[in-house]
Amino acid sequence: MLFSRALALSVREAYKPSKTSDRKPEPKEIIEIPSSDEEDNNEDVQLQSDVQRAIEASKAQSASSSRTYSPQDSISPTISPPAISAPSMLVRSSNAFPFDRAQLERERLERQKRLRPDLVEAQSKPQLDNEDEETDENVNMNGRSAKSTRPTTGKAPRATTSGTQSKEPADAYFWNGELRQTANKYVEPSKDTRPLFRLTDILAPRDEISFAIISAYCVDFPWMYSFFNPSTPVIIVAQDSQGNETMKEVLPNWIKTTPFLRGGRGCMHMKFMLIFYKTGRLRVVVSTANLLPIDWRDIENSVWVQDVPLRPRPIPHESKANDFPAAWTRILHSLNVAPALITMVKNGHTDLPISRLEDLRRKWDFSKVKIHLVPSLAGKHEGWPKVLQSGHVALMKAVRDSGARTPKGKELVLECQGSSIGTYSTQWVNEFYCSARGDSAEEWLDQPKSRRTKLPYPPIKILFPSDKTVKESALGEQGGGTMFCRRSQWEGAKFPRTLFHDSRSKSGGVLMHSKMIIATFRDTGPSSKGKAPQSDSETEPESDDEVVEVDAQGREEDKVIGWAYVGSHNFTPSAWGTLSGSGFNPILNNTNFELGIVFPLRSAEELERVACWERPPRKYVLGKDEPWMQSESAYFAEE
């Protein structure tokens, strides 16, 4: 053990950044800092091997850094994409990084059986399903989904949306914010007409990046390592299989940190990047994509990017600030990033653009950022100051701050697009709907619980691909590896089957991993008061969903027709949280770490630019349509 530690320290010293030389030392072996958990050490053996491959690949790439990246570079600069034509994808090759979700999940469950038999038993109980469905995203990555891209941007994050397919310079700036879909290998050419994002567009110019903090639920480390210069320090936030707060050096100049999850349940589901450039510019990225090749090639995701300039001089720290950068600071602290930042400095990176997380607000000018962050922070939050900073209550505050609260006399219609289905009750759906309207949770909690549990479902459309849509997509069943709905959910006695609508991408036969909510106002008619739509007709009238423009302040810029959300949240209780307590002392429980953005919609045209699905969505015909259920597909059956 002492020898291993000495060797690890030697490797670290070899990679310590030098201020006087640009020489890139040759790595001899990559050994992670020893962990006191012997099981954890055994688990990392495969990763060490893959890390070595990544280093060699990056060295080779650095030697040819002058070459121009092609669009395909955003798919995989150093690793060829696997074949997609046969079930052989289910077999992990000996020289490929293990990012098969099905295999990862089986290995995780086996570890839990050995180390946490009590947790395995608890997870098998039906009543815990609604707090654990988000872990399903780790199940199958071998299937490929498809996707396309278009530049979607709301007026708040007003973006440049001109042009069709014209590729921007790799170092294009987005000072006013930009929302787009990701590039996709399987998009129908006739529908591939709007700007899009590739990973090489976002992480560019590569050699100008001085530091990065990135986060995702699933990460292909060798693949991601190849997008950065080997000398660039990176902190990566990810998921610990046991839900422990951990910190490790997993690659030269890379530190992996994980936050604590109560009882090992839930997941760190946030997907974001903070990219610091040598020029002083900061690039902020919030997306729906994991850091895997298929998420940037085969399935459709959404990405918001905004560049932020450095202030002429730092401003004083304000401990009570509650703006955009202050929200980022709280989020990063909750993710265990602060200790990783300290460790990075101790490891020799003394010239990082930030020495503490509070520097984000002090050093950068976020005055052009018009969107609002909406995080879910795993854990129990009690009292209004804390409850307002997480989950659907944070959504409520963001909707209000955006000037998009549902006006009196209007009704809010929600279209909720996601890739994972939750276990729903009328109480939770109405609880979420209350926040989505911008109404205080205090009003909701002060209602008798007996009344809350008996309310009808509000006007919400849950978008999820039907079994037919998946099978007819570009990749067929193998493309449905990131879509999750269980038979036990769908056939539940009180499950809201009448709210389901088919999810079909505007880009053609590709499947969407995007998580997005479109909220619009409509006039309240005599037939809609207090009633949720209950029709099972395939041709449910859409006239009731006519969008209404609200001019609250009498100024053109204040006109809104609703709002949009984009981020990691699926429409589930695990993602958005559940309320309890009273209006005087509320309690919010969040199972997952999630992150997204909210901005107002100001016109029907803007709404259509933002929405990534065909509207209006087609309602399921009960008895004919069923949601895609991956577990019932022969393609994903365990051997």
Side-chain angles (χ1 to χ4, degrees):
M1 182 64 73
L2 290 176
F3 173 76
S4 298
R5 180 169 180 80
L7 186 54
L9 293 173
S10 175
V11 171
R12 181 196 299 172
E13 183 68 25
Y15 278 97
K16 184 176 297 185
S18 172
K19 297 183 178 179
T20 58
S21 173
D22 293 330
R23 180 178 61 88
K24 297 181 176 62
E26 296 289 325
K28 295 183 179 180
E29 184 177 5
I30 304 303
I31 305 238
E32 294 185 10
I33 293 178
S35 167
S36 59
D37 188 339
E38 197 64 35
E39 176 67 21
D40 210 32
N41 284 335
N42 295 334
E43 181 181 352
D44 291 340
V45 170
Q46 179 65 44
L47 177 61
Q48 293 173 16
S49 173
D50 294 317
V51 164
Q52 183 64 44
R53 290 192 301 102
I55 295 170
E56 296 301 325
S58 288
K59 284 167 51 184
Q61 187 177 13
S62 296
S64 58
S65 60
S66 60
R67 77 176 180 88
T68 302
Y69 278 37
S70 69
Q72 201 67 4
D73 288 327
S74 66
I75 295 174
S76 179
T78 60
I79 301 175
S80 300
I84 60 168
S85 58
S88 60
M89 287 188 303
L90 293 169
V91 181
R92 181 189 302 171
S93 64
S94 59
N95 63 345
F97 187 79
F99 58 83
D100 179 325
R101 280 182 182 165
Q103 182 63 23
L104 287 172
E105 178 68 3
R106 287 192 287 270
E107 292 172 355
R108 183 183 71 82
L109 292 176
E110 285 302 317
R111 288 194 298 272
Q112 282 196 356
K113 288 179 182 178
R114 294 195 304 271
L115 302 174
R116 300 285 299 279
D118 57 325
L119 179 58
V120 173
E121 180 181 357
Q123 288 179 330
S124 67
K125 297 179 181 179
Q127 63 265 33
L128 295 183
D129 286 352
N130 72 326
E131 295 184 1
D132 201 39
E133 73 266 8
E134 297 301 333
T135 59
D136 285 346
E137 182 167 324
N138 199 33
V139 175
N140 276 310
M141 284 187 46
N142 37 29
R144 301 259 190 265
S145 301
K147 85 175 162 276
S148 149
T149 60
R150 61 211 132 286
T152 60
T153 161
K155 186 167 185 179
R158 176 63 66 191
T160 53
T161 59
S162 59
T164 59
Q165 201 57 348
S166 58
K167 192 175 188 309
E168 298 181 66
D171 59 348
Y173 300 151
F174 305 100
W175 299 112
N176 295 311
E178 180 84 353
L179 177 62
R180 297 180 180 180
Q181 297 300 102
T182 48
N184 184 266
K185 184 177 181 180
Y186 301 99
V187 63
E188 294 179 14
S190 63
K191 297 184 177 182
D192 192 10
T193 59
R194 299 186 183 183
L196 46 79
F197 277 130
R198 295 179 173 85
L199 197 51
T200 46
D201 296 333
I202 296 170
L203 297 174
R206 164 182 150 149
D207 291 337
E208 290 300 311
I209 298 174
S210 64
F211 177 51
I213 302 174
I214 60 180
S215 174
Y217 178 53
C218 294
V219 182
D220 183 336
F221 280 88
W223 183 72
M224 278 306 298
Y225 189 68
S226 65
F227 284 94
F228 292 87
N229 189 301
S231 64
T232 302
V234 174
I235 293 175
I236 182 162
V237 183
Q239 168 92 5
D240 177 71
S241 61
Q242 303 299 319
N244 294 325
E245 185 177 271
T246 68
M247 187 174 61
K248 290 183 180 180
E249 295 178 356
V250 292
L251 290 160
N253 301 310
W254 281 50
I255 292 179
K256 173 188 172 184
T257 185
T258 65
F260 174 72
L261 290 163
R262 291 181 300 174
R265 290 208 312 258
C267 62
M268 199 305 298
H269 204 238
M270 292 185 179
K271 301 164 177 70
F272 67 80
M273 302 180 193
L274 297 174
I275 311 298
F276 299 83
Y277 289 88
K278 296 175 182 178
T279 59
R281 173 170 58 104
L282 168 62
R283 173 161 287 181
V284 182
V285 181
V286 177
S287 84
T288 69
N290 283 299
L291 298 178
L292 303 164
I294 69 164
D295 278 49
W296 295 87
R297 180 189 64 221
D298 302 326
I299 59 177
E300 186 168 3
N301 277 287
S302 305
V303 183
W304 173 81
V305 177
Q306 183 153 356
D307 290 304
V308 180
L310 196 66
R311 294 182 186 275
R313 61 186 62 83
I315 63 173
H317 170 61
E318 294 183 34
S319 60
K320 296 183 179 181
N322 196 33
D323 52 14
F324 184 86
W328 267 115
T329 303
R330 287 194 303 271
I331 292 165
L332 295 174
H333 273 294
S334 72
L335 295 175
N336 199 37
V337 172
L341 184 61
I342 294 172
T343 300
M344 190 69 80
V345 174
K346 289 182 178 179
N347 285 356
H349 294 283
T350 56
D351 56 351
L352 294 178
I354 58 173
S355 58
R356 52 183 302 195
L357 297 180
E358 287 71 19
D359 287 345
L360 269 179
R361 188 175 185 278
R362 294 181 59 250
K363 292 186 175 183
W364 280 269
D365 181 2
F366 290 86
S367 60
K368 284 192 175 183
V369 177
K370 304 304 181 184
I371 59 91
H372 296 270
L373 281 179
V374 179
S376 284
L377 307 177
K380 179 180 179 181
H381 310 281
E382 186 169 359
W384 283 114
K386 293 183 178 179
V387 166
L388 284 168
Q389 295 177 356
S390 186
H392 66 75
V393 187
L395 172 66
M396 178 273 291
K397 186 176 186 302
V399 168
R400 286 190 174 192
D401 292 345
S402 299
R405 183 178 183 180
T406 305
K408 292 182 179 180
K410 305 298 179 183
E411 186 174 51
L412 186 71
V413 178
L414 298 179
E415 297 177 23
C416 304
Q417 153 68 32
S419 59
S420 184
I421 295 303
T423 302
Y424 305 116
S425 66
T426 59
Q427 178 174 333
W428 183 81
V429 174
N430 277 282
E431 176 185 311
F432 178 88
Y433 185 74
C434 177
S435 290
R437 284 180 52 87
D439 294 341
S440 172
E442 183 177 5
E443 302 171 16
W444 169 257
L445 290 171
D446 283 342
Q447 296 181 34
K449 187 174 181 180
S450 58
R451 181 175 182 273
R452 283 183 271 156
T453 58
K454 296 178 181 179
L455 290 172
Y457 283 107
I460 291 180
K461 300 178 181 181
I462 301 174
L463 276 66
F464 190 80
S466 65
D467 184 74
K468 181 181 179 182
T469 292
V470 171
K471 290 177 178 177
E472 292 180 353
S473 66
L475 289 170
E477 292 189 32
Q478 69 188 57
T482 60
M483 316 295 160
F484 301 94
C485 179
R486 297 188 295 271
R487 174 68 61 183
S488 59
Q489 292 172 314
W490 179 248
E491 295 184 347
K494 297 183 178 181
F495 192 75
R497 290 177 287 275
T498 58
L499 302 185
F500 272 65
H501 292 68
D502 207 358
S503 172
R504 300 182 69 89
S505 170
K506 287 180 178 177
S507 303
V510 298
L511 297 177
M512 294 183 290
H513 188 254
S514 295
K515 289 93 166 118
M516 185 180 291
I517 298 174
I518 296 294
T520 54
F521 308 138
R522 71 180 179 189
D523 286 324
T524 303
S527 62
S528 61
K529 287 184 178 179
K531 294 183 179 180
Q534 297 296 322
S535 171
D536 294 340
S537 170
E538 181 176 9
T539 57
E540 179 190 63
E542 296 293 342
S543 58
D544 287 345
D545 293 346
E546 183 177 353
V547 174
V548 175
E549 184 179 82
V550 176
D551 184 5
Q553 303 295 328
R555 295 178 301 181
E556 185 68 26
E557 60 269 26
D558 290 322
K559 291 181 179 179
V560 295
I561 64 167
W563 53 265
Y565 163 87
V566 182
S568 69
H569 293 78
N570 280 297
F571 183 58
T572 67
S574 294
W576 288 106
T578 55
L579 269 175
S580 60
S582 65
F584 178 74
N585 186 42
I587 298 172
L588 181 76
N589 279 284
N590 273 117
T591 305
N592 296 347
F593 286 97
E594 308 276 2
L595 184 65
I597 63 170
V598 165
F599 54 91
L601 296 171
R602 304 187 184 277
S603 69
E605 294 74 22
E606 184 176 46
L607 184 159
E608 289 303 326
R609 287 199 304 269
V610 171
C612 54
W613 58 87
E614 293 180 353
R615 300 184 69 253
R618 184 188 66 84
K619 186 170 184 175
Y620 277 26
V621 179
L622 297 186
K624 178 182 177 182
D625 289 318
E626 284 193 337
W628 160 253
M629 298 180 196
Q630 174 190 135
S631 59
E632 298 183 8
S633 167
Y635 184 82
F636 293 103
E638 293 187 15
E639 297 179 352

